[in-house]
Amino acid sequence: MLSMLTNPTILGQIVVNGMSLSSIYILVALGFTLLFGIMRVVNFAHGEFAMLGGFAMYYLYAVFSLPWVAAILLAPLAVAIPALFLEWLVFRWFYQKMFQSMIGLLGLSIVMIYSALLTWDAFERNIPAAFDGILRFAGVILPIDRLVTIGVSALALGAFYFLMVHTRIGLAMRAAAQDVEIAGTQGIDTRKIYRVAFFVAILLAALAGALYGQVYAVSPFMGERPLFVAFIVVILGGMGSIPGAALGGLILGFTESFLGTFYGGSVASYASFGAVILLLIFRPWGLLGKPE
Amino acid sequence: MSKLELRNVGVRYGNIVGTQELSLRLESAQTVALVGSNGAGKSSTLKAIMGLAKYPVGDILLAGKSIKQMPAFEIVRAGIGYSPEGRRVFGGMSVLENLKVGAYSRKGGEFEADLQRVFGYFPRLKERASQRAGSLSGGEQQMLAIGRALMARPSVFLLDEPSLGLAPVIVERIGDVLQEIQRAEQLSIILAEQNAAWALSIADQAVIVELGRVTMTGPAAEIAEDPRVQRAYLGI
């Protein structure tokens, strides 16, 4: 194993895979933690929005043959805009009601999965790779599609960071995340902030699903994995903590890539969930969260 | 017409009574001290005005217009500022960002002027502008909570227990600045306080609240001389 570790090709592979996994995980987890941080909603249907992102990408790119860049930009919008109807129909009733939201949105998740099953059947669809081929760099082999995943995620994360830190609406979202009642008494329209946060969260989840679906495959059940991942990442980092979601995503992505390469996927899963259980026992507020 | 008028406001939290048929008037450019013991209904009264507590009974009028069904942000836009009990500054954000949130309801370009105005009242906030609000002392956090509300340029200002947990020297300083602000901006202030001696010393009018009802009202100086008030609230 030591010789494998010192082999630059394998090491480079682990790093690139780790980063591309991490970047997808962070996209999913950021939206999940945003919904929890601002609205105290545990979105059990988060993975299903990623699934819809995968299907949107499948149709736009594989069926309608749009240029890849157009497809990856439109797919998240194609999910997030109609999702505003679900916000009005379902989500808004569960804001600031954590426990009710878990049950209610678990129900929504099941409704979405089985609606997808009725519409698209259970078989997996593949989205043809947009960028096959490899890049050789200093003896390290870098698959281009993974690099593109990393690049797109990095752009999305950068845009998200800019929105949260440098805009008026971002300031209002951060204030609402800290103390929603007081944010209202300082002149912030919290209903509007909820809708914006919801839109951004679904946009990120659907983008993650589109990227994930292209690397793996698209099916009605593909949302399960991103949801688990979002849970682990958010618990690792601390519920509601945005830097925590980034840190948690990196840790989980690299752990999976590293352990998955050397010991296989089941060991990687044991390690991830094991780490979460230990963390919940010894530091239940997560790595960057705050004790309540 | 009064600046702010509460008519028979009855706040309920489920079965728990916050206030019962509480009425009071706030005149323009006047400070009213709302004095009472813990649980008397002071906070509930201010929360009802801000739209944070429901009151199925009664009505609240701002310059003659009902604000009963308005959400908090519209009440702020109508001209009411709020410094909550326990200060509740945004601890993870900088002092400057807290003040920006306070100015959120004011679209347009006078942010810089408002900021200098607040820094003028509280030079301490200017020194600490880039610091995390959570790292400030209790007194500085109270200054920030007041400054944050002032950024919206309110005409009515509600202060809930600003003296809570602060050293007497700091309380006196905050009282001085409050009076300065009140004069400079012609603010109408409701000051809810357990520290009756201090509140009565800076207010024009006083309202004594017990068990969610107004039991006494009048000029602050007269109320401070009342033997029952002295026994119950001033420890004389």
Side-chain angles (χ1 to χ4, degrees):
Chain A
M1 187 189 125
L2 202 68
S3 65
M4 286 172 84
L5 254 182
T6 51
N7 181 331
T9 309
I10 293 178
L11 203 61
Q13 211 71 246
I14 292 174
V15 171
V16 172
N17 284 350
M19 277 185 66
S20 78
L21 268 178
S22 297
S23 59
I24 293 178
Y25 291 172
I26 293 171
L27 290 177
V28 179
L30 266 184
F32 189 80
T33 211
L34 195 66
L35 293 177
F36 181 78
I38 298 183
M39 293 94 125
R40 296 282 135 179
V41 153
V42 181
N43 186 13
F44 272 102
H46 209 63
E48 277 54 65
F49 291 101
M51 177 263 288
L52 290 177
F55 273 100
M57 188 66 186
Y58 171 77
Y59 277 102
L60 291 170
Y61 183 69
V63 179
F64 303 143
S65 310
L66 256 60
W68 188 83
V69 175
I72 200 73
L73 285 173
L74 286 177
L77 287 172
V79 176
I81 293 171
L84 288 173
F85 173 70
L86 279 181
E87 195 269 351
W88 175 82
L89 187 71
V90 181
F91 282 82
R92 64 181 173 131
W93 305 105
F94 295 109
Y95 291 161
Q96 309 303 335
K97 293 177 188 151
M98 189 174 83
F99 290 108
Q100 287 96 318
S101 79
M102 291 189 191
I103 306 300
L105 298 177
L106 189 61
L108 179 67
S109 158
I110 293 168
V111 168
M112 288 172 77
I113 291 173
Y114 286 92
S115 303
L117 193 63
L118 287 173
T119 314
W120 291 303
D121 218 321
F123 64 87
E124 294 195 328
R125 292 164 165 83
N126 288 306
I127 306 175
F131 310 90
D132 40 9
I134 47 165
L135 210 73
R136 278 177 196 280
F137 182 75
V140 181
I141 297 170
L142 306 172
I144 293 177
D145 63 338
R146 297 290 171 117
L147 293 177
V148 168
T149 299
I150 297 170
V152 169
S153 308
L155 282 176
L157 295 175
F160 177 76
Y161 179 83
F162 183 84
L163 177 79
M164 293 304 281
V165 177
H166 294 292
T167 68
R168 222 172 97 84
I169 200 95
L171 181 78
M173 279 199 267
R174 282 184 292 139
Q178 286 196 27
D179 191 332
V180 73
E181 192 178 62
I182 294 307
T185 68
Q186 304 305 317
I188 291 171
D189 179 353
T190 45
R191 260 303 288 151
K192 192 175 117 194
I193 293 302
Y194 288 162
R195 231 169 309 153
V196 173
F198 178 84
F199 185 76
V200 171
I202 301 306
L203 213 56
L204 293 174
L207 176 63
L211 293 168
Y212 190 81
Q214 192 152 31
V215 175
Y216 300 96
V218 176
S219 87
F221 300 104
M222 70 178 270
E224 190 189 5
R225 177 95 193 135
L227 176 71
F228 275 141
V229 162
F231 248 122
I232 297 176
V233 165
V234 166
I235 289 169
L236 269 176
M239 287 292 269
S241 162
I242 287 170
L247 178 67
L250 280 174
I251 293 176
L252 188 68
F254 275 93
T255 309
E256 279 201 9
S257 170
F258 188 83
L259 295 178
T261 306
F262 290 120
Y263 303 105
S266 16
V267 172
S269 287
Y270 272 121
S272 311
F273 281 98
V276 166
I277 292 170
L278 285 176
L279 197 76
L280 281 174
I281 295 171
F282 294 107
R283 198 180 158 85
W285 54 86
L287 295 173
L288 297 182
K290 270 174 270 152
E292 299 235 343
Chain B
M1 184 171 50
S2 302
K3 186 76 198 164
L4 186 73
E5 185 181 351
L6 277 70
R7 284 186 190 156
N8 300 321
V9 170
V11 174
R12 301 278 178 286
Y13 305 101
N15 287 327
I16 298 163
V17 174
T19 66
Q20 8 189 355
E21 289 160 27
L22 188 139
S23 297
L24 65 87
R25 283 166 176 276
L26 176 67
E27 303 303 332
S28 198
Q30 191 185 57
T31 301
V32 170
L34 198 59
V35 173
S37 54
N38 203 1
K42 304 185 301 290
S43 280
S44 296
T45 306
L46 298 193
K47 283 184 175 171
I49 301 172
M50 278 322 292
L52 298 180
K54 294 235 181 305
Y55 45 103
V57 184
D59 202 356
I60 297 178
L61 309 172
L62 176 66
K65 278 191 217 124
S66 174
I67 55 169
K68 181 161 179 162
Q69 298 298 335
M70 284 189 190
F73 80 95
E74 280 180 16
I75 291 172
V76 176
R77 281 163 207 202
I80 303 186
Y82 180 55
S83 162
E85 183 176 2
R87 328 196 215 287
R88 290 168 76 174
V89 295
F90 301 111
M93 292 160 70
S94 73
V95 168
L96 185 65
E97 284 179 320
N98 270 269
L99 296 172
K100 278 186 183 166
V101 172
Y104 190 80
S105 62
R106 283 169 53 78
K107 295 193 173 133
E110 283 142 31
F111 174 76
E112 203 48 46
D114 287 339
L115 190 65
Q116 292 313 320
R117 188 176 117 255
V118 167
F119 283 162
Y121 296 131
F122 300 111
R124 204 47 175 274
L125 295 181
K126 189 175 189 175
E127 291 164 27
R128 305 237 186 268
S130 58
Q131 214 166 304
R132 263 185 66 248
S135 71
L136 299 181
S137 72
E140 289 164 344
Q141 289 192 11
Q142 185 57 55
M143 294 173 197
L144 181 56
I146 294 173
R148 181 177 63 179
L150 290 178
M151 289 299 289
R153 281 201 172 266
S155 58
V156 172
F157 189 18
L158 314 177
L159 279 124
D160 201 350
E161 303 275 6
S163 78
L164 200 73
L166 301 184
V169 195
I170 309 284
V171 174
E172 285 306 320
R173 266 240 317 277
I174 287 179
D176 292 343
V177 181
L178 266 182
Q179 285 179 300
E180 182 196 336
I181 295 169
Q182 196 275 330
R183 277 193 299 270
E185 320 221 343
Q186 290 297 296
L187 271 178
S188 312
I189 298 178
I190 299 183
L191 176 60
E193 263 294 338
Q194 280 192 68
N195 185 343
W198 176 67
L200 292 174
S201 76
I202 56 177
D204 305 300
Q205 295 284 314
V207 173
I208 308 284
V209 200
E210 280 167 20
L211 301 172
R213 277 180 206 280
V214 172
T215 54
M216 206 184 290
T217 168
E222 280 176 31
I223 297 274
E225 295 300 318
D226 188 282
R228 282 168 300 169
V229 173
Q230 292 192 334
R231 249 198 325 277
Y233 300 107
L234 300 174
I236 298 175

